[in-house]
Protein backbone atom coordinates (compact mmCIF):
# COMPACT_ATOMS: atom_id res chain seq x y z
CA UNK A 1 0.00 0.00 0.00
CA UNK A 2 1.58 3.26 -1.17
CA UNK A 3 0.27 5.45 1.64
CA UNK A 4 1.52 3.07 4.32
CA UNK A 5 4.92 2.89 2.62
CA UNK A 6 5.19 6.68 2.42
CA UNK A 7 4.12 7.00 6.04
CA UNK A 8 6.78 4.48 7.10
CA UNK A 9 9.50 6.27 5.12
CA UNK A 10 8.64 9.54 6.85
CA UNK A 11 8.58 7.86 10.26
CA UNK A 12 11.88 6.13 9.52
CA UNK A 13 13.48 9.44 8.58
CA UNK A 14 12.33 10.97 11.87
CA UNK A 15 13.57 7.99 13.90
CA UNK A 16 16.87 8.00 12.01
CA UNK A 17 17.55 11.65 12.81
CA UNK A 18 16.58 11.08 16.43
CA UNK A 19 18.87 8.03 16.78
CA UNK A 20 21.80 9.86 15.16
CA UNK A 21 21.37 12.71 17.64
CA UNK A 22 20.57 10.76 20.81
CA UNK A 23 22.67 7.61 20.34
CA UNK A 24 25.97 8.73 18.78
CA UNK A 25 27.73 5.89 20.60
CA UNK A 26 25.90 3.46 18.29
CA UNK A 27 25.04 5.37 15.13
CA UNK A 28 26.70 7.98 12.94
CA UNK A 29 26.60 9.12 9.33
CA UNK A 30 29.19 6.42 8.57
CA UNK A 31 26.88 3.56 9.58
CA UNK A 32 23.59 5.23 8.64
CA UNK A 33 22.86 2.26 6.33
CA UNK A 34 22.99 -0.06 9.37
CA UNK A 35 20.54 2.19 11.20
CA UNK A 36 18.16 2.13 8.22
CA UNK A 37 18.42 -1.67 8.05
CA UNK A 38 17.75 -2.05 11.79
CA UNK A 39 14.79 0.36 11.73
CA UNK A 40 13.29 -1.48 8.74
CA UNK A 41 13.89 -4.79 10.47
CA UNK A 42 12.12 -3.61 13.62
CA UNK A 43 9.19 -2.36 11.54
CA UNK A 44 9.03 -5.61 9.53
CA UNK A 45 9.09 -7.67 12.72
CA UNK A 46 5.96 -5.92 13.92
CA UNK A 47 7.37 -3.51 16.49
CA UNK A 48 4.60 -1.18 15.40
CA UNK A 49 5.13 1.74 17.77
CA UNK A 50 7.75 4.41 16.98
CA UNK A 51 9.34 3.99 20.40
CA UNK A 52 9.52 0.21 20.03
CA UNK A 53 11.10 0.45 16.57
CA UNK A 54 13.66 2.97 17.82
CA UNK A 55 14.46 0.87 20.90
CA UNK A 56 14.80 -2.24 18.73
CA UNK A 57 17.32 -0.53 16.45
CA UNK A 58 19.34 0.91 19.35
CA UNK A 59 19.30 -2.35 21.31
CA UNK A 60 20.38 -4.37 18.29
CA UNK A 61 23.33 -2.07 17.57
CA UNK A 62 24.29 -2.05 21.25
CA UNK A 63 24.31 -5.85 21.28
CA UNK A 64 26.42 -5.97 18.11
CA UNK A 65 28.87 -3.43 19.50
CA UNK A 66 29.19 -5.43 22.73
CA UNK A 67 29.43 -8.85 21.00
CA UNK A 68 26.09 -10.03 22.40
CA UNK A 69 24.00 -12.49 20.40
CA UNK A 70 20.96 -10.31 19.72
CA UNK A 71 18.96 -13.12 18.09
CA UNK A 72 19.29 -15.24 21.24
CA UNK A 73 18.44 -12.23 23.41
CA UNK A 74 15.34 -11.52 21.34
CA UNK A 75 14.20 -15.16 21.53
CA UNK A 76 14.70 -15.16 25.30
CA UNK A 77 12.70 -11.97 25.82
CA UNK A 78 9.90 -13.09 23.48
CA UNK A 79 9.38 -16.17 25.68
CA UNK A 80 8.51 -13.80 28.52
CA UNK A 81 6.24 -11.35 26.69
CA UNK A 82 4.78 -10.68 23.26
CA UNK A 83 3.94 -6.98 23.69
CA UNK A 84 6.26 -4.91 21.45
CA UNK A 85 6.87 -2.11 23.97
CA UNK A 86 7.52 -4.60 26.78
CA UNK A 87 9.98 -6.52 24.61
CA UNK A 88 11.99 -3.47 23.65
CA UNK A 89 11.90 -2.07 27.20
CA UNK A 90 13.34 -5.40 28.36
CA UNK A 91 16.10 -5.10 25.73
CA UNK A 92 17.00 -1.70 27.18
CA UNK A 93 16.99 -3.10 30.70
CA UNK A 94 19.14 -6.13 29.85
CA UNK A 95 21.61 -4.05 27.83
CA UNK A 96 21.75 -1.24 30.43
CA UNK A 97 20.51 1.38 27.95
CA UNK A 98 18.62 4.61 28.60
Amino acid sequence: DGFKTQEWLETREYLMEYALQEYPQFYSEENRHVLIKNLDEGFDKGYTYKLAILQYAVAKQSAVKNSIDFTALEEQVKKETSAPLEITAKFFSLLNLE
Side-chain angles (χ1 to χ4, degrees), residues 16-70:
M16 190 168 26
E17 293 306 319
Y18 185 85
L20 288 169
Q21 183 178 344
E22 297 297 321
Y23 297 98
Q25 68 273 40
F26 302 122
Y27 292 114
S28 66
E29 289 298 329
E30 288 73 42
N31 71 348
R32 187 183 190 103
H33 64 285
V34 175
L35 173 56
I36 291 169
K37 182 175 99 31
N38 289 342
L39 290 169
D40 284 343
E41 191 175 285
F43 178 76
D44 291 342
K45 285 187 170 190
Y47 294 97
T48 51
Y49 304 100
K50 290 176 187 171
L51 178 60
I53 294 168
L54 176 68
Q55 287 180 328
Y56 175 89
V58 171
K60 182 164 186 183
Q61 191 62 14
S62 171
V64 167
K65 190 171 182 180
N66 292 295
S67 303
I68 296 168
D69 183 345
F70 187 75

Side-chain angles (χ1 to χ4, degrees), residues 45-47 49 52 55 72-94:
K45 285 187 170 190
Y47 294 97
Y49 304 100
Q55 287 180 328
L73 180 69
E74 187 175 26
E75 287 173 7
Q76 172 195 334
V77 171
K78 282 186 169 182
K79 287 179 185 170
E80 299 169 18
T81 184
S82 62
L85 288 170
E86 287 180 27
I87 292 170
T88 58
K90 186 79 171 167
F91 290 157
F92 263 48
S93 173
L94 293 170

